[in-house]
Amino acid sequence: MRPVTTLLVLTNLPDRPSAEALASELVEARLAACVNVLAPCHSVYRWRGAVETANEVPLLIKTTSERYAALETMIRSRHPYELPEVIALPIADGLPDYLAWVAAETRHPDHHGDNQDAPQ
């Protein structure tokens, strides 16, 4: 069994209402402990041979490697883009209590593992 790694997942949505809706769904489903809905940004990218621009709302999603596959599935199923940006970065280090909190808050409700050290 692989050790659980804390991840920072990035994605962008076309507007604030869709970003807030996805953020809420991810936290309610325990696929993310926390999602930061950032200020809109201007993106420049190449799509189907042309340079495109768009205003987007970035999300910073805190989760674990254990929950990543389900999180990616939910993002893809609810994302309006044909090919959404979904990038997961491993967290190399961090405040131990915060990392334990992320693990505890994303633990599947049916998981019966030891949760003694997680903040309540």
Side-chain angles (χ1 to χ4, degrees):
M1 187 164 113
R2 291 176 31 190
V4 175
T5 301
T6 305
L7 302 175
L8 176 64
V9 179
L10 310 173
T11 194
N12 290 296
L13 280 292
D15 54 56
R16 190 158 199 92
S18 62
E20 290 177 355
L22 180 59
S24 293
E25 288 181 70
L26 293 172
V27 173
E28 287 171 14
R30 300 184 75 89
L31 297 176
C34 174
V35 179
N36 301 109
V37 179
L38 302 182
C41 69
H42 186 74
S43 298
V44 180
Y45 55 95
R46 182 172 294 280
W47 180 246
R48 300 190 176 176
V51 175
E52 303 281 344
T53 63
N55 291 321
E56 299 181 299
V57 178
L59 298 183
L60 301 180
I61 304 162
K62 277 69 79 174
T63 191
T64 62
S65 55
E66 185 177 68
R67 299 296 275 154
Y68 177 77
L71 179 132
E72 181 185 282
T73 297
M74 180 176 275
I75 291 173
R76 291 208 59 160
S77 71
R78 288 164 173 72
H79 206 291
Y81 293 170
E82 180 182 340
L83 181 61
E85 173 185 12
V86 182
I87 299 172
L89 306 168
I91 304 298
D93 208 352
L95 185 66
D97 288 345
Y98 182 82
L99 299 179
W101 173 79
V102 170
E105 293 305 316
T106 56
R107 189 161 287 122
H108 193 280
D110 295 336
H111 189 278
H112 299 292
D114 185 9
N115 195 17
Q116 303 280 343
D117 296 328
Q120 298 298 313

